[in-house]
Amino acid sequence: MTEEIAIGIDLGTSYSCVSIATSEGALVVPNEWGELNHASVVSFLPDGSVAVGNAAKRNIVSDPTNTVSSSKRLIGRFFFSEEVSKARALMPYALVEGPNNSVRIAVRDLILSIPEVSALVLKEMKAIVESHLGHEVTKAVITCPAYFNDNQRQATKDAGRIAGLDVLRIINEPTAAALAYGFGRDISQRIAVYDLGGGTFDISILEIGKDVFEVLSTGGDTYLGGDDFDQRVMAWLTDDFLAKTGLDLRQNKWCLAMLNEAAEKAKIECGRQGWADIHIAGICQDANGNVLDLTNRLTTEHFNRMVMDLVQRTFKVCDEALQSARLTASSIDAVILVGGPTRLPVIRESVKHYFGREPMEGIDPEQVVSMGAALQARALSSADASTYLLDVTPLPLRIATVGGFTETILDKNTPVPIERSKVFTTGRDGQERVKIRVLQGENPKADGCESLGEFEFSGFRVAGRGEVQIEVTFEIDTNGIVNVRACDLETGNATGTRISLSSGLSEGEILDGIERNRQIRRAGGA
């Protein structure tokens, strides 16, 4: 009987990658054109089909309002959040409010949730492997930033389900990179994984020994990545053009799309050769109808100055992660760089200076995460796999208390899976229900944390204040997803408990997303 292959998917903000694993190691699977890295872009075409990946990225300039990029920055977020407000100002496609303050993307005649868009990218990764192997695959491990909260993790899992995948586990990106680094090597090391992607930054400190990978601590910033470097270059270009011509390119979505493409290209070229000449022909017209070009030169020195504060933000997170692990930078035996932006000399030199050692060579920063995910997928689906992964929760789990404050239930960097119980009592005579707000975050105030849901318990005996005891059990599973159950200690029953999580899509929305996903045709496909 042929062993069923489970795939590993690095679902990135800018690019995604997919791998499979055997007992010999992991293999990054190319698409039909031999490409290993695939743009996390979905373009919705006039005929109702979609283009996904590098082909879709070419439509960002020609059809920006119907081409969705960097949507991972929005997954699991609320419409009123600061991050979504930033995206609405920058993204050329339309963001609208959905049920329960969720974010929806409006393209053509469709209103899609963020997990539905991510599902189209995941479905493309699935199709790439199926074309390579010649048969269907249904099981996968999907990666996410280590600092993703419960809402974002649940939304990522929802995306996998919509794409037709049985998601074996959601695994942190830095942890996946460590798995790929340590696979098959008889080493005992403390390593730091510095993961700067297109939209997020994570740092994880791990201890590796005898096929056991233990995460000691993790930290991150879910709105700091290569996209922010691009936006600095864009801001410089638009400010300079405004000073020269009096025209503000920010007012036109097509101009912004061209600027974004030119900024990303300039960033990469500057990193490779020390400078980049930028030329955008016919970017706009002046008041007299004259067609204007944008021309400029970006040097390494100028680029480094404009992004150095972003680089320094990553090391503040590194400080916190090392402190949480009770280590110093000199305690680290190896440093692994993950994510395309870590190819930039300013990043590599800054990391070398911070840790006092050269980052590891020979590890592809854009492929190592999917390789590690594939190794974990095999470990979860194969009886003879012997790799053990011990991860931690990235954020504290809290409940709201009086006065707008919170009480910590589970601390940050607590090993997972874990469950912890707390007994609540009625706060007044004759009380018929108890309501508890569950939050996630590091701020001791409720309004500074992410709301996971509101839990209402009813159906217990109506009695005097403090006489009824309800035990609430909080669990964080191996995916980092929060689950809650409740029990009336007097009767032992959990009946009458209503749990209303705000994270993820409802079951009905997931089923609707699955159906829409089936109906959307791949461009050039059946």
Side-chain angles (χ1 to χ4, degrees), residues 217-233:
S217 69
T218 192
D221 186 331
T222 57
Y223 217 88
L224 172 61
D227 285 358
D228 299 288
F229 288 57
D230 298 344
Q231 287 162 18
R232 290 292 173 86
V233 178

Side-chain angles (χ1 to χ4, degrees), residues 31-33 41-59 63 66-67 108 120-121 123-124 127 517-526:
N31 65 9
E32 56 193 303
W33 298 282
V41 180
V42 182
S43 184
F44 294 82
L45 306 181
D47 65 358
S49 65
V50 298
V52 183
N54 300 330
K57 188 175 182 180
R58 292 191 283 271
N59 293 341
D63 191 11
N66 295 302
T67 302
R108 304 279 177 201
L120 291 168
V121 177
K123 190 175 181 180
E124 182 73 7
N517 192 274
R518 288 188 183 131
Q519 293 175 359
I520 294 176
R521 295 179 294 108
R522 181 183 177 189

Side-chain angles (χ1 to χ4, degrees), residues 294-431:
L294 184 149
T295 302
N296 222 317
R297 169 172 279 205
L298 178 65
T299 64
T300 294
E301 293 75 20
H302 189 191
F303 176 76
N304 291 354
R305 284 197 303 272
M306 71 171 71
V307 303
M308 187 52 68
D309 66 307
L310 299 176
V311 178
Q312 291 304 317
R313 271 174 62 185
T314 70
F315 295 117
K316 288 183 65 176
V317 179
C318 292
D319 289 341
E320 294 168 3
L322 285 168
Q323 184 177 5
S324 182
R326 294 180 173 84
L327 297 172
T328 63
S330 61
S331 307
I332 301 302
D333 300 310
V335 180
I336 300 171
L337 298 182
V338 176
T342 63
R343 296 186 187 277
L344 294 170
V346 65
I347 298 296
R348 302 189 74 90
E349 287 301 315
S350 298
V351 169
K352 176 185 173 182
H353 177 75
Y354 180 86
F355 286 100
R357 63 175 60 248
E358 291 279 358
M360 295 296 297
E361 297 289 342
I363 299 174
D364 191 308
E366 294 179 273
Q367 298 170 9
V368 66
V369 169
S370 77
M371 294 171 71
L375 290 167
Q376 179 67 0
R378 184 175 185 275
L380 294 172
S381 59
S382 175
D384 63 350
S386 58
T387 298
Y388 299 95
L389 172 61
L390 305 173
D391 218 328
V392 298
T393 178
L395 293 162
L397 187 66
R398 301 174 179 271
I399 58 167
T401 58
V402 294
F405 290 92
T406 64
E407 179 181 337
T408 303
I409 300 296
L410 286 170
D411 290 323
K412 173 183 177 179
N413 289 321
T414 298
V416 293
I418 190 170
E419 72 174 43
R420 189 160 294 167
S421 297
K422 187 173 181 64
V423 176
F424 297 90
T425 61
T426 50
R428 64 179 184 274
D429 294 340
Q431 189 169 342

Side-chain angles (χ1 to χ4, degrees), residues 180-198:
Y181 165 73
F183 178 78
R185 303 176 64 188
D186 186 17
I187 58 175
S188 179
Q189 290 184 345
R190 287 175 180 158
I191 68 169
V193 182
Y194 179 101
D195 182 356
L196 183 63

Side-chain angles (χ1 to χ4, degrees), residues 6-10 17-20 139-142 370-371 373-375 377:
I7 62 178
I9 302 176
D10 173 12
C17 190
V18 62
S19 295
I20 56 176
K139 298 181 183 298
V141 167
I142 303 173
S370 77
M371 294 171 71
L375 290 167

Side-chain angles (χ1 to χ4, degrees), residues 105 152 165 230 273 325 345 356 454:
I105 294 176
Q152 293 167 307
L165 291 166
D230 298 344
Q273 62 190 25
E454 191 173 83

Side-chain angles (χ1 to χ4, degrees), residues 120-175:
L120 291 168
V121 177
L122 292 172
K123 190 175 181 180
E124 182 73 7
M125 300 302 103
K126 179 177 184 285
I128 287 169
V129 176
E130 290 174 340
S131 177
H132 177 80
L133 296 176
H135 62 77
E136 185 183 18
V137 294
T138 59
K139 298 181 183 298
V141 167
I142 303 173
T143 65
C144 75
Y147 223 55
F148 258 20
N149 62 36
D150 179 83
N151 291 346
Q152 293 167 307
R153 290 171 188 272
Q154 186 62 60
T156 303
K157 196 169 185 180
D158 290 346
R161 185 177 167 194
I162 293 169
L165 291 166
D166 174 10
V167 182
L168 300 176
R169 185 169 295 180
I170 301 296
I171 184 176
N172 293 334
E173 291 162 4
T175 308

